[in-house]
Amino acid sequence: MKSKPFILMLVSALVSSVISILLNLMPFEAIQSKLWIVSVGFHVLISLALHAIMYRKNEDPKDFINKIMLTSIGRLFLCMVGVFIYSLIDKPHFMGFAIHFMLHYLIFTIFEINYMLKFVKSQSNKTE
């Protein structure tokens, strides 16, 4: 069960990469980004850090709920900071990067929420 989050992270990164490659093949320059891989790497690093926080052993179920909320808010905050920093560094290409970045955010979040729901359900079945 411990390798499942890393497999989902890899799948998220692959899906994000495929979507970014397809977006870059479109003839609209406004949605193209040459630095989309930075966004995927950013999300992978955040996911690794958040998984390290989430899966520390603790028997209190309320603490697990607090960790879920903390990691969700933490991911959103770090993503906002990342997009803001990029907007200061590269304003002309910001819109394309922001589109890729937010799509990657959505993909990684969808996969993580799906995994968390299954994980919480399996933990609740163990305690019953």
Side-chain angles (χ1 to χ4, degrees):
M1 188 83 171
K2 292 201 181 223
S3 67
K4 182 125 182 168
F6 299 108
I7 292 169
L8 287 175
M9 191 181 334
L10 178 63
V11 170
S12 299
L14 289 173
V15 170
S16 294
S17 297
V18 167
I19 288 175
S20 285
I21 290 169
L22 291 174
L23 283 175
N24 282 334
L25 292 175
M26 293 182 131
F28 309 108
E29 283 189 36
I31 62 170
Q32 294 176 355
S33 174
K34 293 179 182 173
L35 295 175
W36 62 268
I37 194 75
V38 173
S39 172
V40 173
F42 181 82
H43 287 288
V44 166
L45 289 175
I46 289 176
S47 292
L48 287 172
L50 295 179
H51 282 299
I53 292 169
M54 282 297 296
Y55 297 107
R56 290 186 181 151
K57 292 287 183 190
N58 196 342
E59 301 299 323
D60 186 17
K62 289 180 184 177
D63 188 47
F64 186 73
I65 300 299
N66 289 337
K67 284 182 182 180
I68 290 174
M69 294 303 294
L70 173 72
T71 57
S72 296
I73 292 170
R75 172 183 285 278
L76 180 61
F77 178 73
L78 289 173
C79 288
M80 288 176 16
V81 169
V83 167
F84 177 71
I85 289 171
Y86 188 86
S87 74
L88 296 175
I89 294 171
D90 191 13
K91 283 189 188 215
H93 303 110
F94 171 69
M95 188 57 70
F97 180 80
I99 290 169
H100 286 260
F101 193 91
M102 293 314 295
L103 285 172
H104 299 163
Y105 173 80
L106 288 172
I107 291 166
F108 273 81
T109 303
I110 288 168
F111 277 96
E112 281 191 6
I113 288 173
N114 186 23
Y115 173 74
M116 288 295 169
L117 289 173
K118 290 177 183 176
F119 182 77
V120 168
K121 188 182 278 188
S122 71
Q123 292 300 316
S124 65
N125 287 342
K126 285 181 183 178
T127 58
E128 290 177 357

